[in-house]
């Protein structure tokens, strides 16, 4: 019971590590040869990023499963859990793309295919951002029901999901 909420904090470590390790890859206008050269030169780092993203997805799924302990929260726990599930799917998708690029260039993948995979890796941020945005929305809904409308009114200017401390001048 207590490990599920903590898994949200633990999720950040491999997720941030994967983003840092993967680094700034070739741009969207890079040729297939440039992409192949980059992923051959950075094979170890990209493989480590793949594993970090996969581990992060597992912890994110555990964190989403923790929402089910809020029994009376109605549809908000479903929104939160689905946000965690779709965000975990996004991390697994990013891991799959990096794995395809990393291993594909080692096995002489066609440069045109390498360039196409790089395009997918470059332009996957919008759907990924939308998936991540569902998590704070569900979190805000869960908090709204737990804290009551009167206490939530003072938190209105905050970004949904970041309401972890009371507004100035109020006690929890």
């Amino acid at each position: 019971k207590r490990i599920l909420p903590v898994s949200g904090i633990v999720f950040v470590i491999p997720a941030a590590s994967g983003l840092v390790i993967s680094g700034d890859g070739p741009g969207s206008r890079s040729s297939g040869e440039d992409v192949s050269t980059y992923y051959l030169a950075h094979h170890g780092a990209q493989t480590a990023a793949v594993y970090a993203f996969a581990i992060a997805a597992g912890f994110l799924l555990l964190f989403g499963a923790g929402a089910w302990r809020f029994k009376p929260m109605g549809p908000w726990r479903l929104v939160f859990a689905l946000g965690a599930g779709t965000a975990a799917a996004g991390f697994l998708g990013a891991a799959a793309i990096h794995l395809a690029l990393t291993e594909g260039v080692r096995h002489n993948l066609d440069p045109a295919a390498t360039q196409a995979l790089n395009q997918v890796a470059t332009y996957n941020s919008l759907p990924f951002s939308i998936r991540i945005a569902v998590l704070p929305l569900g979190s805000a809904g869960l908090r709204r029901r737990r804290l009551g409308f009167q206490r939530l009114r003072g938190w209105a200017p905050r970004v949904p999901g970041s309401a972890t401390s009371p507004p100035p001048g109020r006690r929890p």
Side-chain angles (χ1 to χ4, degrees):
K1 250 181 163 179
R2 293 183 181 195
I3 198 161
L4 293 178
V6 174
S7 64
I9 297 168
V10 175
F11 147 78
V12 173
I13 297 167
S17 298
L19 290 172
V20 170
I21 292 169
S22 67
D24 191 23
S28 61
R29 296 178 188 228
S30 298
S31 68
E33 290 80 17
D34 291 343
V35 174
S36 295
T37 303
Y38 174 82
Y39 280 97
L40 280 173
H42 297 92
H43 180 266
Q46 295 301 321
T47 302
V50 166
Y51 288 117
F53 287 146
I55 291 168
F59 281 112
L60 191 55
L61 286 174
L62 286 174
F63 185 58
W68 291 107
R69 67 186 176 101
F70 297 112
K71 297 280 185 213
M73 297 307 159
W76 289 110
R77 70 182 175 143
L78 180 63
V79 171
F80 183 79
L82 286 176
T86 57
F91 274 101
L92 290 175
I97 292 168
H98 277 84
L99 182 64
L101 279 166
T102 304
E103 293 302 317
V105 297
R106 284 188 59 199
H107 298 290
N108 299 324
L109 185 66
D110 183 57
T114 306
Q115 187 178 20
L117 278 173
N118 187 53
Q119 292 288 331
V120 173
T122 303
Y123 292 113
N124 71 351
S125 61
L126 180 63
F128 186 68
S129 300
I130 292 170
R131 290 176 182 150
I132 289 289
V134 174
L135 262 173
L137 179 67
S139 177
L142 286 172
R143 291 174 187 278
R144 180 185 62 83
R145 297 286 300 263
R146 270 179 58 200
L147 299 173
F149 180 74
Q150 296 300 324
R151 291 186 65 190
L152 186 67
R153 272 194 322 199
W155 298 12
R158 292 182 176 226
V159 176
S162 67
T164 56
S165 60
R170 288 202 178 175
R171 293 185 179 226

